[in-house]
Amino acid sequence: MTDALFLLDTEHDDVPVNSDELNAGWKLTLPQSVRRHAIQAMRLKDGDELQLSDGKGLRIHAVLRDAQQGIAEVSSFGKEPQPTTKLALIQALAKTGHDEQAIDTATQIGVDEVIPWQVLDAATEQSRRSWTPELGECVTSKQLIAICKRACVHGDMVIVLHQDATKTWSQLEEAIAVLSDKCLQDGRQRTVYVVVGPEGGISDAEIESFTNAGAEACVLGSNILRASTAGPVALSLLARALGRFI
């Protein structure tokens, strides 16, 4: 079992998290929020190992030395880079809370950016991630068309999930592999966006607008998935294709 990971609030927690200032053997006083979660809720005790992160790539491995005082000793640390091929979820908002469920699941899968269409810390800790997903501003359909157009210019890819699309996921995998190879060759970040519409579906007019702007419309399979399920399923397939799942 991997060690539990706890996020540090770098704007408020008085803990040195700059990797240039850390040293193995250094003792840290855990912030109250982390102590409450780690010691009171998860019942970690002296000698137990844990991880700390700033949500921006820093991962600290530590050992709890004094649970009562919340003292942990740094055993190792490192800065993890973001993936060169980023995954982004553009999720239509729902009144039922299914959008929050989708974002939580997507975070655990490894999404790098979430853009609400017309909310992350707990899932980051649960999945032991050192990078917290970026939460973009809510966009309108018109702004989503602009995202599609910018993607064409910058070499990104936008995949719109739609039950009536004729293109299947397997037909897109070659283009996804080409994009990933380009990222590895030139070291430049590119993003694969996954667009999920509301429970009622994306209108034909919107699909036409998105595809005319450069997006790819795709059907995941014969089963019709809920809005809260479609995004995580597509992100899982992407993560597998990009080697994040092994």
Side-chain angles (χ1 to χ4, degrees):
M1 182 177 178
T2 59
D3 302 330
L5 181 143
F6 304 95
L7 285 176
L8 300 170
D9 185 349
T10 56
E11 294 184 2
H12 301 96
D13 295 338
D14 185 21
V15 177
V17 292
N18 188 325
S19 58
D20 295 333
E21 300 174 352
L22 286 171
N23 289 286
W26 201 343
K27 288 185 172 59
L28 301 175
T29 300
L30 300 177
Q32 185 60 41
S33 59
V34 174
R35 292 166 62 179
R36 185 165 52 249
H37 188 185
I39 299 170
Q40 297 178 16
M42 297 189 67
R43 299 182 180 179
L44 297 186
K45 57 186 182 301
D46 291 358
D48 286 343
E49 298 181 348
L50 69 156
Q51 300 179 52
L52 301 168
S53 177
D54 61 354
K56 298 177 182 178
L58 178 65
R59 187 185 297 272
I60 302 171
H61 293 269
V63 179
L64 193 59
R65 294 304 184 196
D66 188 334
Q68 186 172 4
Q69 298 298 321
I71 305 297
E73 180 179 339
V74 176
S75 54
S76 64
F77 58 92
K79 186 78 171 179
E80 300 177 4
Q82 278 191 310
T84 52
T85 306
K86 296 174 63 178
L87 302 181
L89 173 65
I90 301 176
Q91 176 77 43
L93 299 179
K95 296 180 179 179
T96 58
H98 288 155
D99 48 0
E100 294 183 20
Q101 177 186 338
I103 291 171
D104 183 285
T105 305
T107 299
Q108 297 177 52
I109 291 170
V111 71
D112 300 298
E113 182 180 4
V114 176
I115 301 175
W117 178 16
Q118 196 4 48
V119 123
L120 296 162
D121 287 349
T124 298
E125 293 183 347
Q126 172 69 29
S127 54
R128 309 295 196 263
R129 294 183 57 182
S130 64
W131 280 95
T132 300
E134 299 175 22
L135 181 60
E137 295 184 2
C138 188
V139 297
T140 62
S141 295
K142 185 176 180 179
Q143 290 170 317
L144 184 46
I145 292 172
I147 290 175
C148 296
K149 291 179 177 179
R150 284 198 303 272
C152 291
V153 173
H154 296 297
D156 299 330
M157 186 176 186
V158 179
I159 301 173
V160 182
L161 304 182
H162 194 255
Q163 63 190 45
D164 295 327
T166 56
K167 188 168 291 187
T168 63
W169 186 267
S170 60
Q171 291 175 294
L172 290 181
E173 286 188 339
E174 183 176 349
I176 294 168
V178 170
L179 184 147
S180 178
D181 288 342
K182 287 181 179 178
C183 293
L184 294 174
Q185 289 168 8
D186 60 22
R188 185 168 69 83
Q189 276 194 338
R190 294 175 178 84
T191 301
V192 180
Y193 295 90
V194 175
V195 180
V196 180
E199 290 292 350
I202 303 174
S203 70
D204 292 340
E206 286 174 323
I207 284 290
E208 184 177 2
S209 297
F210 299 153
T211 53
N212 286 343
E216 295 277 5
C218 169
V219 61
L220 284 177
S222 57
N223 293 342
I224 306 301
L225 303 178
R226 297 192 70 115
S228 59
T229 307
V233 168
L235 289 169
S236 295
L237 293 171
L238 277 171
R240 180 68 180 86
L242 296 173
R244 296 195 184 187
F245 289 174
I246 56 175

